[in-house]
Structure formats: C-alpha cells, structure tokens
C-alpha cells in the first residue's frame, strides 16, 4: 500500500504545487483526476521517487520512499508523460535496452520481453522501427518498459493524451487486464477515461485533494442533484450566470441543460440520473474554494 502523509511540494518562487495531501492507496486502479496544473505530475513524480516532497512523506509498505527509494524502485513501474523512444530501435531492441538500464538481466529477460510484447499486442511489429508507430503503439511500448520488472506499483502519467478514441478504449481494457494485486495510479483530466476503469477516484485541484472515493460513492453523493431544464437559446448567457451546467443538448423545443444543484433550480426542472461528469463538476464547484 502507498500511504501519503501530509505531503506538500513547493517549487521555486513559492509556487505551491501540492498542499497537505493525505491518502491511502490500496491495490486496484486509481484514477487521479484534475485539470492542468492541479499537481498530478508533481504527485506522481514524488511517488516514483524522482522528486522529493517539501513536507510530509510517502511510504510503501511502511517504508519511507524518500529515505529508502531503492526498496520501492525494485517494484516500481513508471511511465512519465514525456516518455521518449528511440525511433530507430525495434520494440525488441528498445525493451532489451530498457531492461539493461534497469539492471534486469539474466536468462529470463528475453522470455519476459516476449511475454510483454504479446500482452501489449506488439508481437507482430516487434521487428519494425518504433519511429513508424502510432501514438497508441508507442504508448504500449512505454507501458511494456514500465512492466519489465512486474511492478507492484505502476504509475502512468496522462496515458491517454494523443490517443485516438479507439486507442483510448484499448488502453482502458489494458488497465483492467493489468490490475489485480498491483496499485495502479494513472492521471487524466478527462472524466470518461476513469468512468469505466477506476476502482478509486482521487480528485486534485490547485494542489489540494478534493476527494477520494469510489465511482459509486461519487454518484450516490449527487443523487437527486442533477436536473434537466429546457430553455431557449437566447437565455443561455443568463442560465450560465445562474446555474452550474454540466451539459447542453439541442432539441426541437429548445436547449436542454443538465444542471447540478442541491435544490430544484426551476419549477419546471426534472431530475436526471447523475453521471461522473456531473459529480466532478459538483465536487469542483463546492470544494475548490474551500
Ligand atoms: P498537472 O500534472 O496536474 O498538470 P503539475 O504537477 O505539472 O500539474 O503542476 C502543478 C503546478 O506546479 C503548476 O502550477 C505548475 O506550473 C507548477 N510546476 C510544475 N513543475 C514545476 C517546476 N519544476 N518548477 C516550478 N513550478 C512547477
């Protein structure tokens, strides 16, 4: 288990990127959700022992990862956002190189690489230069290198950036295949990335923890707080000023708004079944200023 105890991170010029974060992350898929600049990469870099917290600590199975980083590194897989590949190498060559850098050697290394190429559906292209690959294929190479040591903690920073819709779907099912006894943390600013995959959702904004909950809990928390109101197009600016709107649909009789509100926003408003997008908006509007 990864335990995060009162972690803060301040960069130069007093830029506070994380503020007093407390979390317990157990095996499962954890979606770290927040807008750009929320502190997601900072959090992941600390968890991956690349960076140090300014205050507080993180422990892995009770051991402080800043004091004894090697204990975690042995069982850590990390895919940073700006992961670079060598375009002239083939997947096979690249993974051999990555294994050597990580000090993974011995007879079994080729067997492990072949196993990963199979798992990530790269076996057919294993002898083609990586430079010719799509974003999704490159990302799978990145995940393969992160899995070389069969990690118990897998950290993936913004994995869906640059992927097309089909690759996104494939990535989500890959995450599910990889889960089990591992702690898998991945970050995103897109709610639909976590909707069908995450066991736990951790929301960050402006360096603060907004909530940690499972998807059902989040949906329950906004049960009977999502409303439908139909307005005319010209009323939209006024509606935006008045209500928290999580979606609009154009209909024949006007514009249907999805409104997130504790109270019925309008006498004609009817209730809708909540989704995670509504929950995200609700949590942000109610807790961001706190
Ligand atoms: P996210 O991954 O959610 O987009 P980051 O962790 O990258 O957020 O950034 C959080 C905040 O910290 C942002 O305001 C960003 O500008 C700032 N920041 C990140 N890295 C540095 C750095 N090396 N030096 C100074 N400020 C930084």
């Amino acid at each position: 288990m990864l335990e995060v105890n009162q972690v803060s991170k301040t960069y130069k010029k007093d830029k506070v990127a994380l503020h007093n974060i407390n979390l317990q992350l157990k095996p499962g898929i954890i979606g770290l959700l927040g807008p750009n600049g929320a502190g997601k990469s900072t959090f992941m870099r600390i968890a991956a022992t690349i960076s140090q917290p300014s205050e507080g600590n993180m422990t892995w199975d009770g051991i402080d990862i800043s004091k004894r980083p090697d204990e975690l590194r042995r069982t850590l897989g990390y895919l940073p956002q700006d992961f670079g590949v060598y375009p002239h190498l083939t997947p096979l060559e690249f993974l051999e190189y990555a294994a050597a850098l990580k000090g993974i050697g011995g007879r079994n290394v080729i067997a492990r690489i072949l196993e990963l190429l199979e798992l990530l559906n790269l076996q057919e292209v294993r002898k083609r230069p990586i430079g010719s690959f799509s974003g999704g294929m490159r990302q799978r190479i990145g995940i393969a290198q992160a899995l070389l040591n069969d990690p118990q903690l897998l950290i993936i920073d913004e994995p869906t950036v640059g992927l097309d819709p089909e690759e996104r779907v494939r990535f989500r099912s890959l995450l599910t295949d990889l889960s089990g006894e591992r702690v898998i943390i991945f970050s995103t600013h897109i709610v639909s990335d976590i909707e069908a995959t995450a066991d736990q959702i951790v929301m960050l904004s402006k360096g603060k923890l907004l909530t940690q909950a499972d998807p059902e809990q989040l949906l329950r928390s906004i049960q009977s707080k999502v409303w439908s109101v139909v307005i005319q197009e010209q009323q939209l600016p006024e509606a935006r000023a008045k209500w928290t709107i999580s979606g609009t649909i154009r209909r024949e009789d006007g514009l249907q708004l999805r409104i997130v509100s504790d109270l019925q926003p309008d006498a004609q408003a009817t209730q809708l079944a909540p989704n995670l997008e509504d929950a995200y908006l609700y949590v942000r509007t109610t807790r961001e200023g706190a």
Side-chain angles (χ1 to χ4, degrees):
M1 179 170 83
L2 183 72
E3 227 180 290
V4 180
N5 307 303
Q6 301 181 332
V7 163
S8 295
K9 176 77 182 181
T10 309
Y11 289 111
K12 280 183 206 137
K13 296 187 184 153
D14 297 335
K15 172 79 222 170
V16 179
L18 289 176
H19 183 76
N20 197 20
I21 306 290
N22 290 290
L23 284 170
Q24 289 192 339
L25 302 177
K26 300 194 175 110
I29 302 176
I30 297 135
L32 188 56
L33 178 66
N36 285 333
K40 303 183 297 296
S41 293
T42 300
F43 179 89
M44 294 185 132
R45 287 168 58 82
I46 297 172
T49 75
I50 309 277
S51 168
Q52 301 278 329
S54 312
E55 282 169 56
N57 65 25
M58 293 194 193
T59 64
W60 174 255
D61 291 342
I63 297 172
D64 186 327
I65 65 166
S66 298
K67 294 201 174 119
R68 288 165 63 190
D70 289 342
E71 299 280 334
L72 171 60
R73 282 177 194 159
R74 232 177 285 150
T75 191
L76 168 76
Y78 175 48
L79 179 58
Q81 214 176 341
D82 48 6
F83 172 71
V85 290
Y86 293 86
H88 300 298
L89 297 187
T90 67
L92 206 53
E93 289 164 343
F94 179 75
L95 292 174
E96 281 178 307
Y97 167 72
L101 280 188
K102 287 170 195 256
I104 304 167
R107 261 173 220 209
N108 297 334
V109 69
I110 292 293
R112 174 73 183 149
I113 289 173
L114 293 175
E115 192 187 343
L116 287 171
L117 290 173
E118 178 88 35
L119 175 74
L120 293 154
N121 206 9
L122 291 164
Q123 70 279 35
E124 275 177 26
V125 294
R126 69 186 183 277
K127 292 184 180 163
R128 264 176 44 192
I130 296 172
S132 65
F133 287 8
S134 69
M137 285 158 82
R138 281 180 201 220
Q139 187 217 44
R140 278 181 273 147
I141 305 269
I143 292 174
Q145 68 73 34
L147 289 173
L148 278 166
N149 58 345
D150 196 11
Q152 288 303 297
L153 175 61
L154 178 62
I155 299 176
I156 320 177
D157 200 351
E158 290 270 2
T160 59
V161 166
L163 299 192
D164 64 33
E166 209 173 293
E167 287 172 333
R168 263 165 209 265
V169 172
R170 192 181 300 174
F171 172 76
R172 284 180 220 150
S173 72
L174 173 65
L175 271 192
T176 314
D177 291 347
L178 293 176
S179 64
E181 288 311 295
R182 299 176 216 270
V183 177
I184 302 182
I185 310 174
F186 78 101
S187 63
T188 182
H189 57 276
I190 301 163
V191 175
S192 60
D193 281 345
I194 55 172
E195 200 139 31
T197 27
D199 303 307
Q200 283 281 308
I201 299 174
V202 172
M203 288 188 197
L204 277 184
S205 176
K206 300 177 184 162
K208 292 190 183 157
L209 176 68
L210 297 183
T211 189
Q212 176 186 19
D214 66 48
E216 284 89 50
Q217 264 174 315
L218 274 178
L219 290 177
R220 267 200 309 276
S221 72
I222 55 155
Q223 197 71 48
S224 58
K225 291 180 179 161
V226 185
W227 308 86
S228 161
V229 174
V230 180
I231 60 162
Q232 296 312 305
E233 187 115 22
Q234 63 272 21
Q235 296 172 295
L236 190 57
E238 185 196 336
R240 281 198 199 286
K242 197 159 54 166
W243 294 320
T244 304
I245 299 171
S246 76
T248 55
I249 300 172
R250 209 170 292 280
R251 303 198 318 194
E252 268 184 14
D253 56 343
L255 215 49
Q256 186 197 15
L257 307 181
R258 269 186 97 83
I259 294 168
V260 183
S261 166
D262 286 320
L263 302 173
Q264 187 178 22
D266 182 271
Q268 261 74 53
T270 54
Q271 282 196 355
L272 293 172
N275 62 36
L276 275 183
E277 197 79 56
D278 303 321
Y280 181 42
L281 190 65
Y282 184 75
V283 170
R284 285 186 62 190
T285 46
T286 52
R287 304 205 189 150
E288 228 163 40

